Amino acid sequence: MFGLPASILAVSSTHAGAQAQLAATPPMGWNSWNHFAEKVTDADVRSAADALVASGMRDAGYVYVNVDDTWEGKRDAAGTIQTNSKFPDMKALADYVHSKGLKFGIYSSPGPKTCAGYEGSYGHEQQDANTYAAWGVDFLKYDLCGLRELMGPYERDPKKASRMMRDAYVKMHEALVKAGRPIVYSICQYGSDSVWQWGAEAGGNLWRTTDDISDSFRSMSLIGFSQAGLEKYAGPGHWNDPDMLEIGNGGMLPDEYRTQMSLWAILAAPLLAGNDLSKLDETTKSILMNKEVIAVDQDRLGRQGYRLGPLQVWVRELADGAKALAIFNFVTDDVPQPVTVSFKDLGFTGPVHARDLWAHTDLGTLSGEYTAVPPKGGVVMLRLWQ
Ligand code: GLA
């Protein structure tokens, strides 16, 4: 149990059931960072909430509206965190988001400063957790950044650095529990120190497994395909988080964005859109709101998929005995190549029913094997069942 104090483990186990219910399936929503970064304002967040409703995204499952870094102001004389001028009234913003049938998320750091240099929660954990609860916050992303300076370089004393980091995450988890409002807890420390091995113990509902994603096929595919092997650490209430979606941000082709959506669904990853929802085009909508792919991501069994063997073939077991199969055009295949998958290798004996989740067509009953030629940067994704 990683040597956590007994009192902390008691808190964790008491709340393990509540934690699982809080994120029984991977959280879905929108986050301000990938598109707006430090420029985000109250008006941008309201307009994102409006767009989630108008576009149908809320009804497709995208319910969290998460304000990332740069909302923070200074603390008042009593030490209570204030917002800055971009966010005049956080409680009013949360109320607005809730009035749309959505949930509200916020961001902080265990360090004195956030990544963007704003006020962090260090030394004010309980006070901040109480403030978030009073505002009506439903999701907290807690981002390591500023604490790294206090931890010192890992090389100097890895044990001390690691202990300090884990303690800081447990501390905020306990503070959130004490604050008494169910708040999804998103651990963000870029996958260091094998966070997947201790993130759930520390109270995390999700934990970032990698450094920051950017809106390029190289970044997205390096992150996505490097998740192989982490599947055993995920499950209802505690998910690996390969970072947010870039779909609709303009740096990738539609087939490449279909790869992100499909791979993230196979990975049981949180689906946090990161684009400007006031400029949603039809292609972006068709990718973000592919209900058949979302159903794979949100499958109630909560078992993360795995890489089958050939680099570009990934499989996920689903609750009713079905399997999702994704065949990708992997990274450097300029000329699309046929890839054949044998149903026996997927654990099926006898004929299987198949449905193409991007073409939205039934493929009828298939026997033996299936061959796909995924487009450059793209994917063929099937649901298979007997
Ligand atoms: C880090 C995180 C990002 C984002 C920024 C905000 O880089 O990994 O996701 O939250 O900080 O400053």
Side-chain angles (χ1 to χ4, degrees):
M1 290 280 193
F2 318 114
L4 295 176
S7 61
I8 289 168
L9 289 175
V11 169
S12 296
S13 61
T14 312
H15 292 273
Q19 191 184 339
Q21 284 190 354
L22 206 48
T25 59
M28 291 177 66
W30 174 86
N31 172 292
S32 61
W33 186 256
N34 283 358
H35 176 76
F36 291 97
E38 68 281 350
K39 294 197 181 69
V40 67
T41 65
D42 174 286
D44 296 328
V45 178
R46 284 171 193 254
S47 115
D50 294 346
L52 283 172
V53 178
S55 64
M57 280 179 70
R58 177 195 63 186
D59 295 341
Y62 293 87
V63 293
Y64 287 97
V65 177
N66 294 351
V67 180
D68 208 280
D69 202 355
T70 77
W71 63 265
E72 309 87 343
K74 297 286 165 213
R75 294 182 183 278
D76 68 10
T80 306
I81 187 76
Q82 308 294 305
T83 53
N84 62 42
S85 59
K86 297 191 297 147
F87 289 88
D89 185 340
M90 208 56 112
K91 170 85 171 69
L93 179 56
D95 287 348
Y96 183 79
V97 167
H98 289 148
S99 77
K100 304 263 159 183
L102 296 162
K103 292 172 186 279
F104 184 63
I106 213 165
Y107 166 103
S108 190
S109 171
K113 294 284 176 220
T114 68
C115 291
Y118 288 71
E119 193 72 17
S121 292
Y122 185 74
H124 294 273
E125 293 81 3
Q126 190 62 58
Q127 211 171 7
D128 285 359
N130 295 345
T131 301
Y132 305 153
W135 285 342
V137 165
D138 305 297
F139 184 112
L140 173 68
K141 173 173 170 182
Y142 207 45
D143 189 358
L144 187 66
C145 258
L147 192 73
R148 284 190 295 200
E149 281 160 40
L150 304 182
M151 285 158 52
Y154 253 87
E155 310 78 73
R156 198 188 301 149
D157 189 344
K159 273 204 178 131
K160 179 180 155 232
S162 172
R163 170 65 46 220
M164 206 170 160
M165 177 176 61
R166 295 182 196 199
D167 287 351
Y169 278 101
V170 170
K171 190 169 199 175
M172 182 51 97
H173 166 60
E174 287 192 297
L176 292 174
V177 169
K178 280 207 197 103
R181 184 180 168 89
I183 296 179
V184 171
Y185 188 34
S186 161
I187 292 179
C188 176
Q189 43 78 284
Y190 337 112
S192 72
D193 216 7
S194 305
V195 61
W196 40 87
Q197 293 179 355
W198 54 269
E201 300 275 359
N205 294 110
L206 57 158
W207 47 82
R208 277 268 298 275
T209 53
T210 76
D211 227 325
D212 292 15
I213 198 166
S214 62
D215 187 20
S216 71
F217 185 68
R218 184 181 158 74
S219 164
M220 182 276 292
S221 58
L222 276 175
I223 286 177
F225 292 115
S226 72
Q227 301 301 297
L230 296 187
E231 55 273 4
K232 63 174 174 284
Y233 301 103
H238 53 99
W239 308 102
N240 289 309
D241 172 12
D243 210 355
M244 299 175 287
L245 301 176
E246 290 286 5
I247 296 161
N249 275 331
M252 286 182 246
L253 298 167
D255 273 325
E256 297 171 339
Y257 284 139
R258 282 181 202 108
T259 284
Q260 185 176 26
M261 190 72 189
S262 306
L263 185 50
W264 265 233
I266 291 282
L267 295 171
L271 298 178
L272 293 171
N275 55 321
D276 180 359
L277 299 179
S278 68
K279 298 197 177 70
L280 268 178
D281 60 35
E282 289 308 313
T283 305
T284 303
K285 279 194 207 170
S286 74
I287 298 171
L288 285 173
M289 285 192 280
N290 182 328
K291 291 189 179 164
E292 300 192 82
V293 174
I294 291 174
V296 172
D297 182 76
Q298 295 290 300
D299 181 76
R300 68 190 152 80
L301 185 61
R303 190 165 294 163
Q304 180 173 329
Y306 58 95
R307 195 172 65 191
L308 187 61
L311 281 183
Q312 63 275 60
V313 179
W314 290 66
V315 186
R316 180 169 173 190
E317 290 172 30
L318 304 173
D320 52 6
K323 288 176 202 251
L325 168 69
I327 304 174
F328 297 94
N329 172 282
F330 190 62
V331 192
T332 54
D333 286 352
D334 278 352
V335 182
Q337 303 288 333
V339 181
T340 297
V341 179
S342 144
F343 295 137
K344 212 167 73 193
D345 291 346
L346 299 179
F348 290 121
T349 43
V352 298
H353 303 284
R355 182 168 171 84
D356 185 319
L357 304 188
W358 285 107
H360 303 294
T361 52
D362 285 323
L363 303 180
T365 307
L366 308 176
S367 294
E369 58 185 34
Y370 181 74
T371 299
V373 186
K376 183 173 186 296
V379 57
V380 171
M381 189 166 179
L382 305 184
R383 181 184 175 88
L384 302 167
W385 71 99
Q386 286 188 306

